[in-house]
Amino acid sequence: AEHMLDVVNTLPVTRVAHGFQALEDMDVVERIKNVDLTLVMMPIINLNLGLCLHIKDGRPCAQTKGGEKMHFRELWQHPFFTLFREHKLKITLGSDNPEIGGVPIKKTISALAGLDDQYTLPEGFDLLRAEELAILCINGANAIFEKASIKADYKKLLSHWIEKYAL
């Protein structure tokens, strides 16, 4: 989390990949909100690479000397859900180079929505909803490095999808 804070405070960035460790420090979460930063998250890749957070008393915390690390093995445990739903951070999803070991974005979305048998989510878990997917996509459209006209075209297509599926 301290590295995320350093990036946010020193670089003129508008988006940062991954960033799930922000959950270790609520000051970092608040700073991300205040500077209107978008986090591009790849939950499955994080799990595949050994997602862990520093914890104290069973909750994420800023790293301390001798602090414990908690490794997460299940998709539903990923900080994505907490950062997006509880802390209302601006998040979008990414594929993280599927050609060289990443995961296609469709697979990530399917898994978060409970539609991929490879990733089981507990009974009663609040799956990703169409409305949330629309928000993630809008956040992504706003964060991409592209001409305003291309962003506008994408948002128009997205608007049609939202009208059809999310309302």
Side-chain angles (χ1 to χ4, degrees):
E2 69 272 10
H3 300 297
M4 175 72 91
L5 189 58
D6 287 345
V7 166
V8 172
N9 285 334
T10 58
L11 299 174
V13 295
T14 57
R15 67 180 189 193
V16 172
H18 305 288
F20 61 85
Q21 290 162 321
L23 190 57
E24 294 176 340
D25 189 331
M26 289 303 106
D27 290 338
V28 175
V29 170
E30 287 305 312
R31 183 70 177 138
I32 289 169
K33 282 185 196 178
N34 291 338
V35 299
D36 202 30
L37 185 73
T38 299
L39 297 180
V40 183
M41 296 211 155
M42 300 90 170
I44 295 174
I45 291 298
N46 297 145
L47 289 174
N48 291 346
L49 295 175
L51 166 68
C52 69
L53 291 174
H54 293 93
I55 61 159
K56 183 176 183 179
D57 300 324
R59 299 187 48 82
C61 68
Q63 184 174 0
T64 59
K65 286 186 178 181
E68 294 181 60
K69 288 185 180 179
M70 177 182 275
H71 292 270
F72 296 89
R73 306 276 185 239
E74 302 293 333
L75 185 60
W76 63 272
Q77 297 172 314
H78 194 284
F80 159 81
F81 293 103
T82 302
L83 292 169
F84 182 61
R85 290 176 172 161
E86 292 177 30
H87 296 289
K88 309 290 187 215
L89 290 187
K90 192 182 290 184
I91 295 175
T92 191
L93 296 171
S95 61
D96 204 14
N97 300 318
E99 297 82 24
I100 56 171
V103 175
I105 190 73
K106 286 182 179 181
K107 181 169 185 65
T108 298
I109 292 168
S110 293
L112 294 172
L115 302 172
D116 187 318
D117 292 339
Q118 185 178 353
Y119 301 93
T120 57
L121 302 171
E123 179 95 18
F125 184 77
D126 193 10
L127 304 171
L128 184 69
R129 298 178 299 276
E131 297 86 359
E132 292 175 319
L133 179 57
I135 292 166
L136 294 167
C137 290
I138 290 167
N139 290 343
N142 289 331
I144 60 173
F145 301 131
E146 194 52 78
K147 296 178 196 172
S149 62
I150 292 175
K151 284 184 181 186
D153 289 344
Y154 176 75
K155 287 180 188 178
K156 188 174 183 179
L157 290 171
L158 182 57
S159 176
H160 293 301
W161 182 89
I162 291 169
E163 288 174 17
K164 186 173 181 178
Y165 296 105
L167 295 178

